[in-house]
Amino acid sequence: MVTRTVWLVGFAFRSAQGRLVQHYYVVLEAAGPAAAREIALRRARTPRERALRGGLDVEEATAETREVVCDDLGVWRLGGRGPAPEKPSVVSAAA
């Protein structure tokens, strides 16, 4: 039996040197993978997060959403990859 679920959402971006870098966000307050992705995308697009990436935006199409579950014994495990987004987010890149 699962007692708690959280989500791990990753987005890629290219560094100024052209390297592919992955940023991950832990999302506690989401009802499912689509909601977790939207919450993480909102966080990724805040001025503070963009500044940490040198002003670069994340590549939304690269979103990776994974469920992280804690069982009754307190053991955390990473679930399989969630479905890929079917359409672009409604969250503005300028947000």
Side-chain angles (χ1 to χ4, degrees):
M1 180 175 175
V2 174
T3 58
R4 184 173 181 192
T5 301
V6 297
W7 300 92
L8 181 67
V9 183
F11 297 103
F13 72 96
R14 295 262 173 210
S15 71
Q17 295 79 27
R19 287 179 291 205
L20 187 62
V21 179
Q22 202 75 10
H23 272 197
Y24 286 92
Y25 298 87
V26 175
V27 180
L28 303 173
E29 64 273 18
R37 183 176 162 275
E38 290 299 318
I39 292 167
L41 188 57
R42 247 183 246 114
R43 288 182 192 165
R45 289 187 168 156
T46 62
R48 179 178 182 270
E49 289 291 318
R50 287 181 63 97
L52 291 172
R53 293 189 302 273
L56 301 170
D57 199 14
V58 294
E59 297 174 12
E60 182 181 343
T62 65
E64 174 187 351
T65 305
R66 309 274 303 260
E67 185 177 24
V68 183
V69 294
C70 182
D71 65 21
D72 288 336
L73 299 175
V75 177
W76 289 90
R77 63 181 170 78
L78 188 60
R81 290 183 182 195
E86 296 177 11
K87 59 183 181 174
S89 169
V90 296
V91 178
S92 168

